[in-house]
Amino acid sequence: MSTPQPAAAGAPLLEVEDLKVGFGPRGHVNEVVHGISFAVESGKCLAIVGESGSGKTVTARTLVGLTGERSQVEAGKLDLGGRSLLGLSGRRWREVRGAEIGFVLQDALVSLDPLRKVGQEIAEPLRIHGWGERSGRRQRVIDLLTEVGVPEPELRARQLPHELSGGLRQRALIAAAIALDPSLLIADEPTTALDVTVQAQILELLQRTKERGRGLILISHDLAVVSRLADHVAVMRLGEIVEQGPVEQILRSPRHRYTRALLDAVPAAHSKGTRLAPRVAGAYIPAGDPQVPTVAGRAPIITAENLVKSFRGPDGTSRTAVDHVSLEIRPGETLGIVGESGSGKTTTARIILALIDPDGGNVTLRGKAWTTLKEKDRRQRRRRVSVVYQDPLSSFDPRWTVRRIVDDAIAEEDYRGKEARLGRVRELLGHVGIGPDLLDRRPLQLSGGQRQRVAIARALAPQPELIVCDEPVSALDVSIQAQVLDLLADLQSELKVAYLFISHDLGVIYHVSDCVLVMKDGRVVESGSAEQIFNSPQAEYTQKLLAALPRLDRTEPERKAVPA
């Protein structure tokens, strides 16, 4: 087995010069990475940032020999510790992966084998590289889980991935990646979709990896995370590095307009009331006042009083997911709900949507019974409350076209006849900036941002008064996220629709919300206006959430509004 070698004195741990990656047979190669160069030093972090499709993940997979059989990789230099990685055989790459380069994939639930216990997954690189005997490997797994901050490591090692939270699964992936103490660790979006406190724990773990003298490559679209961990930043766009340099220079004084656009797209306190991105071609432009009117005097659309909901776990123990939650949502208002995973946010939303019945309390819609009705009596009123999910791909029928997805949500009594319904579909898609050329595409033929726009069009189809948005932008890169948030604001301005907006991203919540509920263990620990919650938090838990939030430090004294 090969062991990791330190870089020569003064030399970078990893050197990449003129790296090109393409796919397809020779003579017909589609190049997706175009001659990029960078270096990583021991004990330092290089962050690679950019939109989806910029080449970040392809670059990372190239560094561990996982581009696939139909890939074509060329480089002037691709050296780790002074030794070339170019032209390695499959067997040699297997010796490098894990022992010399650790790789942490983005989606922990997909990346871990659902049929294997967590301890077996972490022990796999130890077994493959011939590290110790079986008993020694078992103890090494427990030690690794302890090192990455997993509570009750002996129990967790015996569990399957689905029995662990997202944060624990991510830590298990990191444990597997560092099992053999590689000199370089590559982390591809390691904190995406994690709540802020778990994110802080993962970042602290990665920081300790740097302090132990290991090199780190962080791939992320979250620039606040980058500002906390990175020493050097490379900005990628369409397979090229358009700008790179020390983190302070890139994030505070960017030179390239693309980098500036990425920074301007980050939602935060100073972005409230401004657009996050320029309008995309064909995007909906509201005809009314761009400012949402005062809603305080309007009668609530939804009133929830003392909601309680419990679930019985596999061990027979009953757990209270929602504990006496009350809220109101008025026309044209956005109510944000924040809290850690398991705080009761989504269960509360599902009760509001009348998808599950509360054990106690009730919800009224426009002052009339809602959750206490039988479904046959509720069906005619369902069109008044709609929903946009986190992952539209899993909520669409993959066989349906965009036209059918949106048409299916249009009420039969409102639009009769093929031409009338097609006209309404076109109108709705026009609202969200989707052109007629995409009508016959299926979900897998759309980008992530396009799918989320179609999901919003579908939510608008029944002409609802309230749309529940459950993590609608958490899986989107920062520029597409900015476009979707701007779109939701435009639609609210024109249609006076209300939003119940759930997110683990506190910057997003501050940007979009009028009022905020902070939830913990099923209870509302604090509520008030967005300004009150974020500027003068009273509850200790709220203060803890805000303290854990990575902040993007900019030198500009104030934000300039993005032109419409």
Side-chain angles (χ1 to χ4, degrees):
M1 182 188 75
S2 174
T3 56
Q5 300 293 322
L13 171 65
L14 176 73
E15 291 184 272
V16 178
E17 291 182 3
D18 197 26
L19 174 64
K20 300 176 183 178
V21 184
F23 297 91
R26 290 196 177 276
H28 299 85
V29 175
N30 176 29
E31 191 174 272
V32 296
V33 175
H34 312 299
I36 66 173
S37 301
F38 57 86
V40 182
E41 297 180 11
S42 297
K44 300 292 184 180
C45 172
L46 168 70
I48 304 178
V49 303
E51 297 173 294
S52 297
S54 63
K56 307 186 303 295
T57 294
V58 170
T59 299
R61 295 181 73 86
T62 302
L63 299 178
V64 288
L66 291 176
T67 50
E69 293 182 359
R70 294 179 63 83
S71 64
Q72 304 290 335
V73 177
E74 299 178 5
K77 180 181 287 188
L78 185 58
D79 289 1
L80 177 69
R83 292 172 299 132
S84 178
L85 299 177
L86 290 171
L88 296 187
S89 65
R91 178 179 178 180
R92 180 69 182 98
W93 270 121
R94 287 190 292 273
E95 292 176 352
V96 169
R97 283 194 294 269
E100 301 180 48
I101 305 176
F103 191 27
V104 182
L105 294 169
Q106 175 178 351
D107 191 331
L109 186 56
V110 173
S111 303
L112 294 168
D113 187 333
L115 301 179
R116 299 180 71 192
K117 293 179 180 179
V118 170
Q120 292 174 308
E121 285 283 289
I122 297 172
E124 183 73 359
L126 299 173
R127 184 187 63 79
I128 289 175
H129 290 277
W131 190 98
E133 301 296 328
R134 180 176 296 182
S135 60
R137 290 197 291 267
R138 281 198 297 264
Q139 184 56 49
R140 174 64 173 157
V141 167
I142 301 305
D143 293 342
L144 286 164
L145 288 171
T146 302
E147 182 179 345
V148 299
V150 173
E152 303 177 286
E154 294 87 354
L155 170 64
R156 303 304 186 184
R158 297 194 302 270
Q159 291 182 303
L160 294 170
H162 74 270
E163 297 177 287
L164 273 61
S165 69
L168 291 178
R169 290 195 298 264
Q170 196 67 51
R171 278 179 260 192
L173 272 183
I174 294 174
I178 66 174
L180 290 159
D181 196 21
S183 57
L184 177 66
L185 181 66
I186 302 173
D188 189 358
E189 298 281 6
T191 61
T192 295
L194 298 181
D195 62 60
V196 66
T197 51
V198 175
Q199 179 187 75
Q201 294 164 5
I202 297 297
L203 294 179
E204 179 61 31
L205 175 59
L206 294 175
Q207 177 64 34
R208 291 201 301 270
T209 299
K210 280 176 53 180
E211 292 170 356
R212 288 175 32 246
R214 303 301 180 253
L216 176 63
I217 295 178
L218 173 68
I219 295 174
S220 180
H221 66 262
D222 189 330
L223 297 177
V225 167
V226 167
S227 70
R228 176 168 170 174
L229 196 61
D231 301 287
H232 196 88
V233 178
V235 182
M236 288 194 71
R237 181 175 185 267
L238 301 177
E240 298 180 348
I241 292 179
V242 298
E243 184 171 9
Q244 65 176 309
V247 63
E248 294 84 2
Q249 181 248 304
I250 297 296
L251 298 186
R252 296 184 182 183
S253 303
R255 297 171 183 170
H256 198 280
R257 63 181 182 178
Y258 176 70
T259 310
R260 293 195 296 270
L262 287 180
L263 290 165
D264 285 339
V266 178
H270 55 260
S271 70
K272 200 170 181 67
T274 69
R275 297 189 65 78
L276 294 168
R279 294 189 189 278
V280 296
Y284 171 65
I285 301 176
D289 186 340
Q291 299 299 317
V292 177
T294 302
V295 299
R298 299 188 176 189
I301 300 170
I302 285 286
T303 302
E305 297 179 338
N306 293 315
L307 298 180
V308 177
K309 184 65 180 179
S310 297
F311 296 99
R312 190 172 298 279
D315 59 355
T317 302
S318 181
R319 174 182 170 274
T320 301
V322 175
D323 192 356
H324 293 89
V325 170
S326 299
L327 57 87
E328 286 185 341
I329 308 173
R330 300 176 186 275
E333 177 183 57
T334 298
L335 173 65
I337 302 183
V338 298
E340 297 172 293
S341 299
S343 62
K345 305 186 302 293
T346 295
T347 302
T348 298
R350 288 174 62 80
I351 294 173
I352 298 297
L353 288 163
L355 297 178
I356 56 176
D357 296 326
D359 299 330
N362 68 89
V363 179
T364 58
L365 176 61
R366 284 294 189 184
K368 296 181 180 179
W370 177 241
T371 51
T372 55
L373 294 176
K374 294 182 179 179
E375 182 56 33
K376 65 177 182 178
D377 299 322
R378 193 163 44 212
R379 192 168 295 123
Q380 291 300 315
R381 303 177 70 202
R382 275 207 171 275
R383 58 185 296 176
R384 301 173 76 171
V385 183
S386 195
V387 62
V388 177
Y389 294 104
Q390 175 179 357
D391 181 9
L393 189 58
S394 61
S395 68
F396 292 156
D397 188 323
R399 300 166 297 178
W400 286 14
T401 63
V402 168
R403 180 204 311 249
R404 186 174 178 185
I405 288 168
V406 178
D407 180 83
D408 186 63
I410 299 173
E412 184 70 33
E413 60 270 24
D414 289 344
Y415 294 86
R416 299 183 183 276
K418 184 176 180 179
E419 291 303 317
R421 295 182 70 82
L422 177 57
R424 177 59 173 162
V425 169
R426 290 175 179 269
E427 179 185 17
L428 288 164
L429 291 174
H431 275 329
V432 300
I434 295 291
D437 55 312
L438 300 184
L439 274 172
D440 295 320
R441 290 198 187 179
R442 289 176 170 78
L444 285 172
Q445 297 172 307
L446 302 175
S447 69
Q450 288 171 334
R451 286 195 291 264
Q452 200 62 292
R453 287 172 180 271
V454 173
I456 294 170
R458 179 179 64 176
L460 290 171
Q463 304 178 66
E465 295 183 81
L466 170 69
I467 299 179
V468 175
C469 301
D470 190 359
E471 298 279 9
V473 295
S474 66
L476 303 178
D477 64 56
V478 66
S479 54
I480 303 301
Q481 171 184 271
Q483 294 172 13
V484 171
L485 293 177
D486 285 345
L487 170 64
L488 291 171
D490 288 342
L491 293 171
Q492 186 174 62
S493 173
E494 177 72 9
L495 305 175
K496 308 303 182 282
V497 66
Y499 299 130
L500 175 62
F501 201 104
I502 296 172
S503 179
H504 70 273
D505 189 321
L506 300 182
V508 168
I509 286 290
Y510 196 176
H511 178 81
V512 304
S513 300
D514 300 296
C515 299
V516 176
L517 297 184
V518 183
M519 293 188 67
K520 182 180 189 297
D521 298 331
R523 288 182 171 271
V524 175
V525 298
E526 188 166 3
S527 64
S529 70
E531 287 74 13
Q532 290 170 341
I533 296 298
F534 283 86
N535 296 328
S536 302
Q538 301 301 305
E540 181 180 353
Y541 176 69
T542 309
Q543 295 168 1
K544 174 188 171 186
L545 282 182
L546 293 173
L549 176 65
R551 299 180 187 278
L552 182 59
D553 185 18
R554 302 286 300 276
T555 57
E556 294 86 353
E558 61 182 32
R559 183 187 187 87
K560 296 180 180 179
V562 176

